[in-house]
Amino acid sequence: MVEVKEIRFEQDIETSLTQEGGWRKESFQDSNFDATIGLDLDKLINFIQATQPKQWERYEKIYKVDARRKFLKRFNEEVSMHGMLHVLRNGLKDRGVPLKVAYFKPVSGLNYDVLQKYDANQFTCTRQFAYSPNNNKTIDMVLLLNGIPIIALELKNQYTGQSVENAKVQFQKDRDPKELVFQFNTRFLVYFAVDHYEVYMTTKLAEKKTYFLPFNQGSNGPGKVGGKGNPENLDGYPTAYLWEQVLHRDNVMDIIQRFMNLEVKKEKQGNREVTKRTLIFPRYHQLDVVRKLLADVKEHGSGENYLIQHSAGSGKSNSIAWLAYHLASAHDNNNNPIFASTIIVTDRTVLDRQLQNTIMSFDHTTGQVETIDDKKSSQDLKQAINDGKKIIITTLQKFPIIYQEIDASNGRNFAVIVDEAHSSQTGNSAQKLKAALADKAATLKEYQEIEEGIENTTLDDQDELVKTLLAQGLHQNLSFFAFTATPKEKTIEMFGTKKADGSFAPFHVYSMRQAIEEEFILDVLKNYMTYKTSYRIAKEIEDNPEFPKTEAVRAIARYQSFHPWVLRQKTEVMVEQFRAVTKKAIGGRAKAMVVTPSRLHAVRYMQEFKTYIEEKGYKDLDVLVAFSGSVTDEGVEYTEPSMNVTKDGDRIKESQLKETFHTDDFNILIVAEKYQTGFDEPLLHTMFVDKKLRSVKAVQTLSRLNRTMQGKKDAFILDFVNSEEEILEAFQPFYEVTTLDSEININLIYDTQSKLRKYAIYNQEDIDQVLKLIKQAQQKQDEKLLGRMSSLFKPIIQRYEDLTRDTQYEFRVTLRNFGKWYNYISQLDRTFDMQLLEESIFTNYLLKFIPKEQREKVEVADKVKLEYYKLQKEFEGEIMLVAEDSKSGMLSNTKEINAGIKPPEERDSLEEIIYRINERFPNDFTEGDKVLIEILYKSFKREIDLKVVNMAKNNSSEMFENNLFKDIFQDKVMEEYAQNQNAFEKLVGSDENYYNVVYSLLAKDLYKWFRTQA
């Protein structure tokens, strides 16, 4: 008969922990645990006496017989002040005597003294642990370090009708957070709820508010594609990884020392500033990826690349910080450090503060972490690398400036962690990064072996061309660790792992699917709404001029999108949707983002939102705008700080925007490009999209909503531009795992080179002459050199201008492709082809001389009018992504580099262009869809009344709009009503709100126009 009681489950775990995991079995009765102080004080003092005899002797001399009581008092003071995690890592100090309460394993095996002290730690495992002086309740299993209870496990058994849910409820309802051992960061650091199939964990007990996170591997095992849960384990329990791996004593100590982190955030709640403390314990996928990367590095050494595809919102900042710490102290089998420095490179100009704060909070030797932020220069970066700082955080932009100046890095290995790896890693900055860090001596040797015919065995290390050449391809002294949720083709090939069939895949996966199923992130496609826009354009002039079709269509689309009536309609939909749905979410604290297609759109929307909110008298809404630089609109210059103002009238600086948006004072943020990526605001619940989004950009932008927090149950997207099918197509490749079918054909670059030469625009002699001057400039550049170089390009440009327009286009595209693909291919493979390198340098200069294609500018605002406009809901519901579909995540590499011939730009009459545009929309407009503002606006401009012009010129806009213009407007409305009763019925009828909207929009615009009239 199989024994199935819960006690059997306990025994099996205990046996594993004590026989394999490094813990010693101790019954509660045999221990000296004192529930009133939450410690086995005898054990703790015995440990100190054994490992720090001289310090304890000094301590006893100070306090004599009172030493135990004084130690306990000081221990509790330090824990109360800094927390249990800090005391375990750093120990305490009393009257000048430093005392450690635990020792951690040294990073190398050479430190025998610390290794001995680590082995002196007392790791005990106790079942049925009576934790309280007030009752007889017990915890199923507790792990103690030197008498300090640090890990609690509640175990449940499916055979007795219970599951992990019962364990969670037990922690929530039956464990009083006021008990000493359960107080936050005072004794226990982590609580595990465990059954045969699943594991959940938390670091803070807070009764019903206790927030448990899943601590499972994933349905197909860790680092693999799958959903929530754990795979079957033919060798034991599906959850055995917890006690067999995670809770092994060495792993527990490593987690305490180099994973766990106390995150302190200050938040404004109303008028109060609240300090929120969170004890971060690694999620399973984070622990797994760091361990696996470290194991691979120790096995293969430096020179490998790794792609980590972890979902947005999966805690990449923490994963990067933990990986950096482990790599910085990684030693090989001979106890030598593997890397001289670990460099974290982020593509963001302003470094991710969360990343910096996480890394700086860990236990480290002062001065070994160097942050090169926006306040420091490239010289500071150079100095940090040359000084051998263990961890350096910087931006990719800093590297090109200093790559020539870094001291010879012969024999030094570097780990480079790339945050949000994308195609920027294949560009010029990334090449300069490699040039800065590459071990030139090793590569020179390889170069010489390949080029056996080279007589001179030593290349001039100062030669700019050779240095660039050596920076290309993989380097044995550089290891790249690239993190992204949405890898593109180039990223997968550059950093991914090559499989036996020639395809490429990530080294480790924590998929969007698993993150959603485990509820680490929200499914942003669960509540999606799309609106369909229909409009009809009418020609407003008698003439019928011809325009280039593409440019004219763009101009009309632009005219429509900026039309005040269109902005007004969309603004009304967004504000009212926010008030109806969003405002009630997350306990009334939910926020929204409006994604606009341009900076000018953001400015206009900001004005429209402000006007609408003021008109409606809404006191519970306020809006901010985010865009870079300045925007000039109708002669007025706008910037973020000039448009963003607090309730007290103070300007909000760009650096204060995120923090200000988080407060209760603002609830809508209008953005143009900014904050669509890398913006972590858990209160963001709704997104209004008025911009075309594709592929990676769509996933990154909409994923701003996926962050979870207490009280946040869902997210909502209202999209004016993209269809349900388009969003599905964008998300599907990144739902599980993204792979690449094959490597790029390196010889494509030679095909492109041959194609370029066939145009006969330049020849080898041209390249040689230009390169000769470039080499001279490296030594010394006189006042004529630059002019001579420009003169060399003059006949080349003349030959280009003699080509037909179509051939010019084809040549231009091929030239750009050559440069782009050379940058990419040269990083994948060191070809050591000097001729190819020289041609790439030459073509880079040539591109600067080729005249840019002149587009005919088309203005249509005075030639057309928006006659009808209709905005209606098209789709509402869930956009369903498909699971277990490996083909949808398989990307294809380019098989040929082909410019293609651009068809000549056709011209057509304005009438025909308008007809083609209107043909796209169903002819179901009603008189109610007529844009009356257009009719009235044109009517006022057609018959200029000089009396009204004088009114506008001699009065403020407020006086004009609120008093003087009202009767004039009403007369005009009645005049138009007499001519077109059906169209103007709504305006003169009972809908006063509609009348006021039309009047307000028209009065503002006409006031500006009247003031410009003579």
Side-chain angles (χ1 to χ4, degrees), residues 222-490:
K224 296 175 183 173
V225 183
K228 64 180 181 179
N230 289 299
E232 62 178 298
N233 178 8
L234 298 177
D235 209 24
Y237 295 97
T239 49
Y241 62 90
L242 177 66
W243 51 91
E244 290 176 358
Q245 299 164 29
V246 179
L247 297 183
H248 187 288
R249 72 173 200 179
D250 292 348
N251 290 337
V252 167
M253 295 301 280
D254 184 48
I255 290 168
I256 292 171
Q257 185 189 16
R258 294 187 292 175
F259 279 96
M260 290 196 77
N261 172 34
L262 181 65
E263 187 179 86
V264 181
K265 282 185 180 175
K266 295 200 169 173
E267 288 186 357
K268 270 201 168 180
Q269 289 183 4
N271 297 323
R272 295 185 309 131
E273 188 173 74
V274 178
T275 302
K276 189 180 174 187
R277 289 182 171 81
T278 308
L279 204 53
I280 306 291
F281 191 91
R283 300 170 183 178
Y284 189 81
H285 69 272
Q286 294 172 312
L287 201 58
D288 187 65
V289 72
V290 173
R291 296 261 161 84
K292 282 179 177 166
L293 285 168
L294 209 66
D296 202 82
V297 164
K298 285 184 175 179
E299 182 182 347
H300 297 111
S302 181
E304 301 290 324
N305 284 354
Y306 304 90
L307 177 63
I308 300 98
Q309 185 178 359
H310 280 194
S311 163
S314 64
K316 281 199 293 290
S317 287
N318 279 330
S319 298
I320 288 169
W322 292 326
L323 177 61
Y325 257 91
H326 283 76
L327 291 174
S329 58
H331 284 65
D332 61 21
N333 293 331
N334 297 319
N335 285 312
N336 297 314
I338 297 172
F339 299 110
S341 297
T342 297
I343 302 170
I344 300 172
V345 182
T346 175
D347 209 16
R348 283 162 262 196
T349 309
V350 180
L351 280 167
D352 185 341
R353 299 289 169 205
Q354 182 191 343
L355 181 61
Q356 291 181 63
N357 295 341
T358 302
I359 289 186
M360 295 303 287
S361 72
F362 287 143
D363 175 37
H364 62 264
T365 309
T366 305
Q368 287 303 290
V369 178
E370 189 77 25
T371 302
I372 312 296
D373 57 16
D374 42 326
K375 298 182 184 70
K376 292 184 183 176
S377 70
S378 297
Q379 290 305 309
D380 294 313
L381 175 58
K382 171 195 168 188
Q383 199 60 48
I385 292 171
N386 290 335
D387 288 350
K389 297 288 186 186
K390 294 304 287 180
I391 297 174
I392 301 165
I393 313 170
T394 188
T395 56
L396 187 62
Q397 289 83 353
K398 292 277 195 297
F399 270 94
I401 303 164
I402 53 89
Y403 78 103
Q404 301 169 352
E405 303 174 39
I406 288 183
D407 298 344
S409 51
N410 300 19
R412 289 202 294 163
N413 298 329
F414 297 93
V416 183
I417 302 176
V418 185
D419 178 20
E420 273 308 325
H422 282 301
S423 53
S424 57
Q425 292 301 317
T426 64
N428 202 34
S429 295
Q431 280 201 7
K432 300 292 177 68
L433 184 152
K434 286 187 176 181
L437 302 176
D439 183 342
K440 297 179 184 68
T443 314
L444 279 165
K445 187 180 176 189
E446 186 182 340
Y447 186 98
Q448 289 159 8
E449 286 171 0
I450 292 173
E451 298 291 323
E452 290 177 357
I454 297 176
E455 291 179 11
N456 185 357
T457 56
T458 307
L459 292 173
D460 180 2
D461 203 36
Q462 294 305 304
D463 188 318
E464 180 69 24
L465 303 182
V466 174
K467 283 168 73 177
T468 305
L469 195 67
L470 299 179
Q472 299 165 358
L474 300 173
H475 285 271
Q476 203 52 46
N477 75 318
L478 295 183
S479 286
F480 280 83
F481 304 82
F483 283 78
T484 180
T486 48
K488 298 177 184 175
E489 293 89 340
K490 291 180 182 180

Side-chain angles (χ1 to χ4, degrees), residues 66-121:
D66 211 18
R68 276 173 65 92
R69 190 179 67 82
K70 289 288 187 182
F71 170 78
L72 178 61
K73 180 173 179 290
R74 185 62 190 145
F75 175 85
N76 284 329
E77 285 171 352
E78 290 273 1
V79 170
S80 179
M81 176 75 69
H82 303 292
M84 189 74 250
L85 180 64
H86 179 274
V87 173
L88 284 172
R89 282 179 178 164
N90 303 285
L92 53 88
K93 196 177 265 193
D94 190 0
R95 298 281 290 271
V97 181
L99 296 169
K100 293 273 189 189
V101 299
Y103 274 98
F104 294 93
K105 203 168 191 175
V107 292
S108 83
L110 299 176
N111 199 330
Y112 298 114
D113 180 49
V114 179
L115 200 55
Q116 277 187 308
K117 288 179 175 177
Y118 173 75
D119 287 333
N121 284 314

Side-chain angles (χ1 to χ4, degrees), residues 510-523:
Y510 180 70
S511 66
M512 185 193 300
R513 175 192 162 194
Q514 188 176 342
I516 290 169
E517 288 186 11
E518 291 190 334
E519 297 180 354
F520 280 147
I521 62 171
L522 295 168
D523 182 355

Side-chain angles (χ1 to χ4, degrees), residues 862-923:
D862 58 342
K863 300 176 183 67
V864 300
K865 70 176 180 182
L866 186 64
E867 192 176 22
Y868 291 91
Y869 181 79
K870 184 191 283 188
L871 194 60
Q872 58 190 136
K873 194 189 296 181
E874 186 178 41
F875 168 81
E876 183 176 8
E878 181 179 359
I879 298 177
M880 300 282 289
L881 295 171
V882 182
E884 309 289 346
D885 180 12
S886 58
K887 286 183 182 176
S888 66
M890 175 73 79
L891 306 181
S892 288
N893 228 331
T894 303
K895 301 297 185 281
E896 58 179 353
I897 302 174
N898 190 2
I901 296 174
K902 185 182 182 184
E905 176 65 292
E906 291 179 27
R907 298 179 72 82
D908 215 333
S909 68
L910 179 59
E911 205 166 85
E912 183 62 24
I913 290 166
I914 289 172
Y915 174 75
R916 295 290 176 208
I917 288 172
N918 290 339
E919 207 178 27
R920 293 181 307 167
F921 303 113
N923 190 18

Side-chain angles (χ1 to χ4, degrees), residues 645-660:
V645 182
T646 66
K647 292 195 186 306
D648 299 328
D650 298 326
R651 298 214 181 284
I652 300 165
K653 294 178 187 170
E654 191 177 350
S655 58
Q656 299 170 323
L657 190 66
K658 282 186 184 181
E659 191 181 331
T660 307

Side-chain angles (χ1 to χ4, degrees), residues 965-976:
F965 189 58
K966 283 190 171 179
D967 290 342
I968 296 162
F969 175 76
Q970 191 169 7
D971 290 345
K972 178 66 74 176
V973 168
M974 296 315 294
E975 185 184 312
E976 294 290 340

Side-chain angles (χ1 to χ4, degrees), residues 577-842:
Q577 179 71 32
F578 183 90
R579 296 188 80 246
V581 177
T582 314
K583 194 79 179 69
K584 298 167 186 169
I586 321 178
R589 298 176 66 207
K591 298 180 184 293
M593 179 183 278
V594 181
V595 179
T596 69
S598 74
R599 296 184 307 150
L600 182 55
H601 277 92
V603 168
R604 296 267 180 96
Y605 264 126
M606 178 67 164
Q607 294 165 335
E608 200 58 56
F609 267 76
K610 287 276 191 187
T611 302
Y612 184 81
I613 290 166
E614 189 181 339
E615 275 176 20
K616 288 289 193 176
Y618 294 151
K619 303 295 182 191
D620 55 352
L621 279 184
D622 209 346
V623 61
L624 292 167
V625 68
F627 60 90
S628 56
S630 63
V631 176
T632 302
D633 187 18
E634 295 181 348
V636 181
E637 186 179 59
Y638 297 94
T639 62
E640 241 184 52
S642 72
M643 298 192 81
N644 290 327
V645 182
T646 66
K647 292 195 186 306
D648 299 328
D650 298 326
R651 298 214 181 284
I652 300 165
K653 294 178 187 170
E654 191 177 350
S655 58
Q656 299 170 323
L657 190 66
K658 282 186 184 181
E659 191 181 331
T660 307
F661 182 55
H662 184 70
T663 65
D664 295 339
D665 291 346
F666 296 92
N667 24 33
I668 299 173
L669 177 64
I670 300 167
V671 302
E673 281 301 326
K674 276 179 115 179
Y675 301 134
Q676 281 176 244
T677 59
F679 180 52
D680 193 4
E681 173 52 79
L683 288 170
L684 204 56
H685 171 279
T686 294
M687 191 172 284
F688 299 110
V689 181
D690 195 25
K691 176 183 181 177
K692 200 74 186 166
L693 296 173
R694 292 183 179 87
S695 187
V696 168
K697 199 69 170 173
V699 180
Q700 288 182 324
T701 301
L702 302 184
S703 292
R704 296 306 99 207
L705 297 179
N706 71 15
R707 304 302 191 265
T708 58
M709 67 173 293
Q710 204 150 25
K712 185 176 178 182
K713 298 179 177 67
D714 59 4
F716 173 77
I717 295 167
L718 190 154
D719 198 326
F720 292 110
V721 181
N722 307 283
S723 70
E724 168 204 0
E725 293 80 15
E726 287 167 335
I727 295 300
L728 175 63
E729 186 182 339
F731 267 74
Q732 188 61 55
F734 308 108
Y735 183 49
E736 296 192 303
V737 63
T738 315
T739 55
L740 185 66
D741 61 352
S742 62
E743 65 186 345
I744 194 76
N745 178 0
I746 299 292
N747 290 319
L748 283 174
I749 193 68
Y750 293 108
D751 298 341
T752 314
Q753 184 187 30
S754 301
K755 191 172 180 182
L756 273 179
R757 295 293 185 96
K758 284 175 184 173
Y759 290 99
I761 303 294
Y762 65 86
N763 56 32
Q764 189 59 44
E765 188 181 344
D766 295 322
I767 297 171
D768 293 342
Q769 286 179 314
V770 170
L771 265 292
K772 187 177 177 184
L773 291 178
I774 291 170
K775 288 173 184 175
Q776 280 180 30
Q778 288 165 21
Q779 305 303 318
K780 186 180 180 184
Q781 182 172 341
D782 61 31
E783 71 281 0
K784 293 183 179 180
L785 189 141
L786 190 61
R788 283 158 59 207
M789 195 160 135
S790 299
S791 295
L792 288 174
F793 280 106
K794 199 166 191 316
I796 298 169
I797 296 304
Q798 186 58 57
R799 290 194 286 271
Y800 166 80
E801 288 179 341
D802 290 340
L803 298 173
T804 64
R805 278 193 68 188
D806 286 352
T807 314
Q808 281 182 356
Y809 167 80
E810 198 177 329
F811 176 77
R812 262 196 327 270
V813 174
T814 307
L815 194 66
R816 286 198 197 99
N817 276 338
F818 179 74
K820 183 178 77 172
W821 285 100
Y822 180 79
N823 280 342
Y824 175 41
I825 286 171
S826 61
Q827 290 193 68
L828 295 175
D829 183 66
R830 275 205 297 276
T831 59
F832 293 110
D833 187 330
M834 180 64 80
Q835 187 191 37
L836 198 64
L837 171 64
E838 289 181 346
E839 188 152 353
S840 81
I841 294 168
F842 171 83

